[in-house]
Amino acid sequence: ALKTGATTIRAIATGDANAPHVVVCVHGWACSVYSFRRLMPLLAAAGLRAIAIDLPGHGLSDKPDDARLYTLDAQVECVLSAMDSLGIRRAILVGHSMGGPICARAAVLAPDRVTALALLAPAGFGTEWELRILRTLTPRPVAPVLPWLLHRWMIAAVFSVVYGSLYRPTARDIDEYWAPSQFPGFVRAMWDLLHRFEWSAGTDFGFGTISAPTAIMDGRSDNLVIRRWVRRYVEVLPHASLTVIDGCGHVVPEEAPDLVTQAIKGLIGYI
């Protein structure tokens, strides 16, 4: 558990504490450190120190009732504060989905602290179709009743859409993603992120100034993020490359952890 301001968040770590390179993993909307469970052992085996955090509102971290904490820059501050608490001066940031723009914005606001970026199926240049639908279906008057409308079977239904053919989620996976939703404040926090997070931040939040070498990884079978917006990262970031993974859906760190590890090892050559 780490203190970031008035909020306590969960962090997990693996690998040699004295490794020359540290990787900090930042998950997507409604996810947790669990989404990096297949990636982190591979990073450790590659000689890296791997750390994953639960952002505020997610997993086992606090779920504060303060909408100001669910903006892009507030989430970035949480990541940087977590690094401070762990004594990490500089790190490779790995961001999945919503974690993509969080890591990219961190490289804008604190370029001396980000040595490289790996952005996996990143959001950030537009509000994806499913988020636009959710926003429409969840106006503020509906928010208080949303916890009563969330059921475990919905997790399985979402999984049928978000994964490709490289990995099939298990019953335990459903339980792990479902469990945080039972904490008070989870649904409210997800609502705040849905409506307050800057999902199109890349347009005017300085992403073009990022100097860190960046690997963009995109699943060819991803049904969530819009292809042209993922490719905008490669067009806008001056040192970005794109890898498209056949058979991979949206959950790149679970579906192709070996390829992500290879990409991160490749980034180290440019640091």
Side-chain angles (χ1 to χ4, degrees):
L2 305 174
K3 290 293 291 186
T4 59
T7 303
T8 299
I9 67 169
R10 173 175 67 156
I12 61 172
T14 189
D16 184 354
N18 297 314
H21 298 285
V22 179
V23 179
V24 175
C25 300
V26 183
H27 61 75
W29 183 74
C31 297
S32 70
V33 298
Y34 187 74
S35 59
F36 296 107
R37 69 194 179 282
R38 304 188 72 212
L39 174 62
M40 293 182 67
L42 298 182
L43 296 176
L48 304 169
R49 178 68 165 167
I51 295 167
I53 63 172
D54 281 340
L55 293 167
H58 297 80
L60 296 181
S61 290
D62 286 351
K63 296 157 183 64
D65 185 8
D66 184 349
R68 294 172 298 178
L69 298 178
Y70 299 106
T71 64
L72 173 59
D73 282 358
Q75 298 287 295
V76 170
E77 180 58 34
C78 173
V79 173
L80 296 177
S81 294
M83 290 172 60
D84 289 340
S85 296
L86 292 165
I88 299 169
R89 175 59 187 162
R90 307 177 75 218
I92 301 166
L93 298 188
V94 177
H96 171 237
S97 195
M98 183 186 75
I102 293 173
C103 292
R105 181 63 170 166
V108 173
L109 296 177
D112 59 321
R113 306 200 62 182
V114 180
T115 56
L117 292 168
L119 308 181
L120 316 177
F125 278 95
T127 304
E128 313 301 340
W129 64 267
E130 76 281 0
L131 296 182
R132 293 199 298 268
I133 293 172
L134 284 173
R135 280 179 168 177
T136 301
L137 295 176
T138 58
R140 179 170 289 279
V142 174
V145 302
L146 290 177
W148 305 101
L149 302 178
L150 183 62
H151 301 283
R152 184 182 181 279
W153 65 264
M154 294 179 180
I155 306 298
V158 169
F159 279 4
S160 69
V161 175
V162 300
Y163 287 90
S165 59
L166 299 183
Y167 176 79
R168 300 314 305 165
T170 65
R172 180 185 173 182
D173 295 337
I174 295 173
D175 288 339
E176 292 283 354
Y177 276 89
W178 161 248
S181 71
Q182 301 307 289
F183 289 109
F186 174 86
V187 173
R188 185 205 63 253
M190 295 309 101
W191 189 94
D192 282 333
L193 280 166
L194 181 64
H195 290 268
R196 298 181 183 278
F197 188 83
E198 292 85 352
W199 295 98
S200 301
T203 304
D204 52 12
F205 273 60
F207 286 12
T209 67
I210 294 172
S211 59
T214 303
I216 311 295
M217 306 195 76
D218 184 24
R220 195 180 298 278
S221 300
D222 190 339
N223 294 314
L224 295 189
V225 293
I226 296 174
R227 305 274 72 71
R228 69 177 183 275
W229 288 339
V230 173
R231 283 153 179 75
R232 282 291 290 157
Y233 275 96
V234 186
E235 297 167 3
V236 171
L237 274 64
H239 305 292
S241 62
L242 173 67
T243 300
V244 179
I245 307 170
D246 289 334
C248 186
H250 183 63
V251 197
V252 178
E254 294 183 33
E255 299 179 70
D258 52 342
L259 296 180
V260 175
T261 301
Q262 290 176 23
I264 292 172
K265 290 168 64 178
L267 288 171
I268 292 173
Y270 294 97
I271 297 174

